[in-house]
Amino acid sequence: MRKRKAFTLVEIMIAMFLMTIVILSVFMLNQNAEKNSMDAYYEMLCFSLAREPIEVFRAFGYKKVLDISKNHELAPLVYRAALDDFAVIECNPDDEDNYPFAYPNEVTNFQRYIDLNTDNDDYIIITVMVGPKGGSKAENWLRKKAVYENKYSVQLDSIIMKTPKR
């Protein structure tokens, strides 16, 4: 009679254990990649939401921004609430006159604060802080901890110089 070659129960158990470890590590790697991807997406969105008002105010120029700092009603509607305090960013595509920007729906997960510092007569410092609003999807995904009283993840500063007289 010929001796049959077969796997023993111990060999099968070891192979199943090794396959389980490999499969679990692949799932964990996939889950970690998803977290990193969403974290990067929301961080990129934070930076975009912080850069936008800086670019708009810099385009207005020193004199107009100085007027806006004294009277917030002169600011575009999309920024008015953020000039006073942290405000949730609105996404209202139906009102194109007051909201000319095409925001993705995820912006409602963020809040923004804009400070126009006019302490110096020669320049204005624009500070924009953006972060996830409490209890939002963005707060759950952003693993980078907020810096200031748990309110913002990104802070950008810019300066507008007064045009020198000739």
Side-chain angles (χ1 to χ4, degrees), residues 27-135:
F27 283 132
M28 289 175 61
L29 183 66
N30 186 34
Q31 184 181 17
N32 197 26
E34 181 184 4
K35 284 181 183 177
N36 287 337
S37 173
M38 291 303 293
D39 194 31
Y41 171 71
Y42 281 123
E43 190 171 357
M44 180 269 316
L45 194 54
C46 269
F47 275 105
S48 294
L49 292 170
R51 274 192 302 267
E52 174 204 317
I54 287 175
E55 291 175 14
V56 169
F57 285 130
R58 289 185 75 182
F60 284 161
Y62 178 85
K63 189 171 179 351
K64 173 89 173 171
V65 174
L66 187 62
D67 293 341
I68 290 172
S69 71
K70 294 174 185 172
N71 181 4
H72 293 172
E73 294 298 316
L74 299 174
L77 183 63
V78 74
Y79 304 128
R80 281 186 201 160
L83 284 167
D84 294 324
D85 195 10
F86 279 93
V88 174
I89 300 170
E90 296 295 327
C91 179
N92 191 350
D94 297 336
D95 190 2
E96 292 179 13
D97 293 334
N98 293 318
Y99 294 93
F101 309 112
Y103 287 132
N105 290 334
E106 287 90 359
V107 299
T108 57
N109 292 315
F110 293 94
Q111 56 187 358
R112 176 169 49 197
Y113 174 74
I114 303 169
D115 180 42
L116 303 174
N117 184 335
T118 58
D119 291 343
N120 191 304
D121 290 335
D122 295 330
Y123 57 85
I124 298 171
I125 298 173
I126 304 170
T127 301
V128 180
M129 296 176 251
V130 177
K133 75 177 185 183

Side-chain angles (χ1 to χ4, degrees), residues 86 111 129-132 145-148 150-155:
F86 279 93
Q111 56 187 358
M129 296 176 251
V130 177
K145 295 297 179 203
V147 181
Y148 175 73
N150 295 328
K151 288 192 177 179
Y152 72 89
S153 296
V154 172
Q155 176 180 341

